[in-house]
Amino acid sequence: RARIALLESGEDTIHERSIATPHDWATNLSGRSDYAYETESQSGLGQRWLPYPRGRGLGGTSLINALIYSRGFREDWDRMPE
């Protein structure tokens, strides 16, 4: 039997309207709930970089992407070493 602890950084955002209202998701990009990462320069994009938003707080990136999450494929998890 495995036990997992989940730790996430960031502020308590439970009462923030822009996070609780999915249609306001774009207002959270590059805000205090976004790490605002950027990719490295991409040769296929003429050496341009791309924004890589990642959520900062309980819920992770679901905080800033309209509360959508994507579940991993069972096969991917099954291939992970124990």
Side-chain angles (χ1 to χ4, degrees):
R1 180 175 156 147
R3 292 178 182 222
I4 299 171
L6 175 64
L7 302 175
E8 295 186 287
S9 65
E11 300 175 23
D12 181 2
T13 58
I14 196 165
H15 299 293
E16 287 195 35
R17 183 176 183 274
S18 65
I19 289 174
T21 309
H23 70 75
D24 288 341
W25 70 273
T27 64
N28 294 310
L29 300 177
S30 298
R32 69 179 197 206
S33 295
D34 181 8
Y35 282 109
Y37 294 141
E38 299 171 349
T39 65
E40 298 291 324
S41 297
Q42 304 294 310
S43 60
L45 296 173
Q47 299 306 320
R48 291 177 293 157
W49 55 268
L50 296 173
Y52 192 66
R54 298 287 96 189
R56 182 177 182 176
L58 184 59
T61 302
S62 293
L63 289 173
I64 60 171
N65 72 352
L67 304 174
I68 296 169
Y69 79 100
S70 183
R71 192 173 182 98
F73 290 105
R74 176 177 291 246
E75 296 81 20
D76 292 340
W77 292 102
D78 289 345
R79 285 192 297 239
M80 290 182 72
E82 305 236 351

